[in-house]
């Protein structure tokens, strides 16, 4: 499922998230899976993921950045 992490676009349904991939080949791998409920919003603030719950709660789950390589293992680092 494609999720938009712009802070404004809500999740359309309940989703279990383990990692989020960007269009330019990076991924944010969560330390623990996260359930997003319908109406929750995602955003990146600097290198951190922020979840805005529909009920008003704000979370910043732990995770790390990696690059997705075709035919190889991910390389662990933050994007520029």
């Amino acid at each position: 499922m494609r999720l938009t992490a712009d802070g404004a676009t809500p999740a359309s349904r309940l989703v279990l998230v383990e990692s989020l991939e960007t269009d330019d080949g990076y991924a944010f791998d969560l330390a623990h899976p996260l359930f997003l409920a319908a109406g929750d919003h995602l955003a990146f603030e600097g290198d951190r993921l922020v979840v805005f719950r529909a009920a008003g709660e704000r979370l910043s789950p732990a995770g790390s950045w990696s690059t997705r390589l075709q035919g190889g293992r991910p390389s662990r680092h933050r994007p520029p």
Side-chain angles (χ1 to χ4, degrees), residues 41-45 48-52 58-61:
H41 301 261
L42 297 173
F44 285 104
E45 294 181 352
R48 298 187 56 104
L49 174 67
V50 179
V51 178
F52 301 96
R58 177 187 164 116
L59 306 173
S60 189

Side-chain angles (χ1 to χ4, degrees), residues 4-50:
T4 303
D6 62 1
T9 306
S12 60
R13 61 185 170 94
L14 181 67
V15 180
L16 177 63
V17 179
E18 296 182 61
S19 68
L20 297 163
E21 293 187 17
T22 66
D23 291 336
D24 57 355
Y26 294 102
F28 186 80
D29 300 309
L30 292 158
H32 303 284
L34 173 72
F35 277 105
L36 293 178
D40 289 352
H41 301 261
L42 297 173
F44 285 104
E45 294 181 352
D47 63 349
R48 298 187 56 104
L49 174 67
V50 179

